């Protein structure tokens, strides 16, 4: 993979000698405190901890804005879990606009999808599960990406050069499976293992009030199966899969409707499906103020069973988003997801509040209620937690 990165940046070296240029370095330093409300399922796990993080982002424009170099990096130190102390080169890529297409080469983060509570079609990047379990934090993916925008829509082609394995909490860490994961013992279905070259396509188009997306991915599944081993650990198994997805979003007055669905086929197995869809309804100017209230509901369906089972097979998620629209950009998000088969619940509360132009305060609370033994969230039944993070931007 190192050789691929060097080759990807030969055009960049020539571009950096051109002028004029525009560049900017931004980032933040953060301090996080997390406390769990119950004793851990495993006595070796901690009850609370603190961590510190640093995020840096840099871009440099060249060639009158027709070329750009982007770099970003993130690191965290954790007082309790050595595995959560980690770093990642999130992005390091070169972009150039040609007459009829755009070219990206390097390490990037790419997001697909429209729904709030579940991101089915988002398959390019590996989850950064050490940062969060919600699937919204990602690891950088080495790639070459071609983008063509026409009147009939936008076509994107991806060559994904090398695979990023998922990282898991250590023995002392919380928010992990019932047994620790042996990351070093990962098994691959492909003989090329992490060197397998994946590929993906995406077509998107805007038709009036409708945003439409069609995508296809073929390669190493980003979500590993965790298989019990003889030494009392879980071994990640990365299968080869084909996944075709669709995402749709439309606005109708105060209503925002969203839908995602995938057709998922592991190599050598039957095709399976999953979908999530719903709405967000906005109430503007609550009680004659500038505050807005959004009411959201989404239904989650997934017919994958056996080792491919997920926690979203027949679930309903409801929530509210309250934005004060004040100078501090204060916002609250509360969502509750309930399994309609076994009654398991997941509650998520997020609060953000800007203290001034440089300082941001974020709070998070998560609760795993009424967890059924057959539900994938059962191993997290004792991991309800409260979290507070203070960030200083620069």
């Amino acid at each position: 993979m190192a050789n691929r990165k060097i080759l990807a940046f030969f055009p960049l070296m020539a571009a950096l000698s051109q002028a004029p240029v525009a560049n900017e370095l931004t980032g933040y330093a953060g301090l996080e405190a997390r406390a769990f409300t119950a004793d851990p399922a495993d006595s070796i796990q901690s009850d609370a901890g603190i961590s510190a993080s640093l995020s840096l982002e840099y871009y440099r424009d060249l060639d009158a804005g027709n070329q750009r170099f982007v770099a970003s990096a993130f690191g965290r130190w954790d007082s309790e879990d050595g595995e959560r102390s980690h770093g990642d080169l999130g992005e390091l890529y070169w972009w150039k606009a040609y007459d009829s297409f755009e070219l990206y080469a390097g390490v990037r983060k790419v997001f697909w999808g429209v729904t709030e509570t579940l991101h089915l079609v988002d398959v390019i990047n590996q989850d950064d599960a050490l940062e969060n379990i919600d699937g919204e934090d990602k690891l950088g993916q080495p790639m070459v990406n071609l983008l063509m925008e026409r009147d009939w829509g936008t076509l994107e082609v991806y060559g994904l050069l090398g695979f990023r394995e998922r990282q898991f909490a250590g023995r002392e860490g919380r928010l992990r499976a019932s047994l620790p994961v042996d990351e070093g013992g990962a098994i691959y279905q492909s003989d090329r293992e992490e060197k397998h070259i994946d590929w993906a396509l995406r077509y998107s188009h805007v038709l009036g009030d409708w945003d439409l997306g069609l995508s296809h991915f073929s390669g190493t599944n980003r979500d590993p199966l965790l298989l019990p081993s003889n030494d009392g650990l879980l071994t990640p198994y990365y299968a080869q899969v084909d996944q075709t997805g669709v995402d749709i979003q439309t606005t109708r007055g105060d209503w925002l409707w969203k839908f995602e669905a995938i057709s998922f086929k592991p190599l050598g197995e039957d095709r399976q499906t999953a979908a999530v869809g719903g709405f967000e309804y906005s109430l503007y100017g609550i009680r004659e103020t500038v505050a807005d209230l959004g009411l959201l509901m989404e239904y989650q369906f997934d017919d994958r069973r056996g080792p491919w089972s997920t926690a979203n097979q027949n679930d309903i998620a409801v929530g509210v988003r309250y934005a004060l629209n004040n100078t501090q950009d204060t916002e609250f998000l509360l969502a509750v997801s309930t399994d309609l088969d076994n009654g398991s619940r997941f509650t998520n509360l997020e609060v953000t509040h800007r203290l001034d132009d440089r300082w941001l305060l974020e709070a998070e609370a998560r609760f795993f209620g009424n967890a059924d033994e057959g539900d994938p969230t059962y191993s997290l039944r004792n991991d309800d937690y409260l979290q507070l993070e203070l960030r200083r931007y620069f």
Side-chain angles (χ1 to χ4, degrees):
M1 285 176 56
N3 291 335
R4 294 192 186 101
K5 291 180 182 178
I6 293 172
L7 291 173
F9 285 97
F10 277 149
L12 172 65
M13 300 308 294
L16 288 177
S17 64
Q18 301 181 33
V21 300
N23 61 88
E24 183 177 16
L25 174 65
T26 59
Y28 69 83
L31 183 63
E32 176 191 282
R34 177 185 288 179
F36 294 87
T37 64
D39 293 333
D42 188 338
S43 60
I44 197 174
Q45 295 174 292
S46 60
D47 289 324
I50 60 172
S51 67
S53 62
L54 178 65
S55 177
L56 298 173
E57 297 182 9
Y58 173 77
Y59 81 88
R60 184 181 180 92
D61 282 342
L62 307 139
D63 190 18
N66 291 315
Q67 298 190 60
R68 172 171 286 195
F69 167 64
V70 177
S72 69
F74 176 83
R76 181 178 296 279
W77 167 84
D78 190 272
S79 65
E80 302 300 317
D81 183 6
E83 293 298 324
R84 194 169 183 244
S85 296
H86 70 294
D88 182 57
L89 183 65
E91 293 191 303
L92 182 64
Y93 69 87
W94 165 75
W95 164 83
K96 180 173 174 58
Y98 293 88
D99 291 338
S100 58
F101 64 90
E102 299 175 24
L103 178 65
Y104 296 83
V107 180
R108 292 185 65 209
K109 293 182 181 181
V110 176
F111 176 77
W112 295 348
V114 294
T115 51
E116 179 73 32
T117 59
L118 189 61
H119 309 300
L120 290 174
V121 303
D122 190 33
V123 297
I124 294 293
N125 294 87
Q126 176 62 271
D127 288 350
D128 187 349
L130 294 176
E131 276 304 295
N132 215 311
I133 62 171
D134 59 8
E136 296 188 357
D137 293 273
K138 300 291 184 177
L139 301 178
Q141 170 65 49
M143 68 176 70
V144 175
N145 172 211
L146 185 69
L147 183 149
M148 295 177 289
E149 189 171 359
R150 301 289 187 273
D151 292 339
W152 43 261
T154 300
L155 180 64
E156 300 170 75
V157 182
Y158 296 84
L160 308 176
L161 311 178
F163 178 72
R164 302 288 307 275
E165 293 182 0
R166 184 169 298 184
Q167 298 171 291
F168 298 88
R171 287 181 177 272
E172 297 84 4
R174 300 288 284 263
L175 297 172
R176 66 165 170 82
S178 56
L179 297 174
V181 177
D182 179 17
E183 297 178 20
I187 302 172
Y188 290 84
Q189 187 174 22
S190 169
D191 292 339
R192 291 183 57 80
E193 298 183 335
E194 74 277 7
K195 297 178 182 178
H196 186 275
I197 297 178
D198 306 334
W199 64 272
L201 298 170
R202 177 171 169 81
Y203 167 78
S204 58
H205 195 36
V206 178
L207 294 172
D209 295 330
W210 295 83
D211 294 330
L212 309 175
L214 295 172
S215 58
H216 183 79
F217 168 86
S218 181
T220 306
N221 191 22
R222 271 50 181 162
D223 296 322
L225 300 179
L226 298 180
L227 309 178
S229 62
N230 294 330
D231 54 5
L233 300 175
L234 295 175
T235 300
Y237 172 74
Y238 294 97
Q240 291 293 297
V241 300
D242 285 310
Q243 176 177 307
T244 302
V246 58
D247 56 274
I248 304 172
Q249 179 173 281
T250 184
T251 303
R252 289 288 185 270
D254 297 333
W255 296 83
L256 180 62
W257 295 89
K258 305 177 182 183
F259 177 78
E260 293 184 25
I262 60 170
S263 175
F264 178 85
K265 188 181 186 309
L267 181 63
E269 300 188 32
D270 294 334
R271 187 170 294 276
Q272 305 163 58
T273 58
V276 55
F279 66 83
E280 182 168 351
Y281 178 72
S282 296
L283 299 166
Y284 300 102
I286 300 297
R287 293 188 176 182
E288 300 182 354
T289 68
V290 296
D292 301 330
L293 181 68
L295 308 176
L296 64 94
M297 183 175 72
E298 292 182 350
Y299 174 70
Q300 305 164 353
F301 165 81
D302 199 321
D303 70 3
R304 287 176 282 190
R305 296 295 184 267
W308 303 101
S309 294
T310 71
N312 315 103
Q313 294 177 341
N314 181 29
D315 295 50
I316 186 97
V318 295
V320 294
R321 187 197 316 275
Y322 184 50
L324 273 63
N325 294 324
N326 55 6
T327 56
Q328 293 80 31
D329 293 329
T330 307
E331 184 170 315
F332 301 81
L333 174 64
L334 173 65
V336 181
S337 180
T338 303
D339 190 307
L340 299 179
D341 293 325
N342 58 40
S344 297
R345 290 190 309 277
F346 171 63
T347 302
N348 178 50
L349 173 64
E350 298 177 4
V351 182
T352 60
H353 178 76
R354 186 162 53 83
L355 302 177
D356 59 25
D357 291 341
R358 297 289 185 178
W359 293 90
L360 178 72
L361 190 64
E362 292 189 342
E364 181 177 281
R366 286 185 171 160
F367 307 97
F368 305 88
N370 197 34
D372 184 83
E373 282 192 49
D375 195 271
T377 63
Y378 184 72
S379 60
L380 303 177
R381 63 194 181 279
N382 289 358
D383 285 348
D384 297 349
Y385 71 88
L386 306 173
Q387 178 177 295
L388 190 66
E389 183 175 20
L390 180 64
R391 293 182 180 180
R392 203 307 187 161
Y393 285 84
F394 53 85

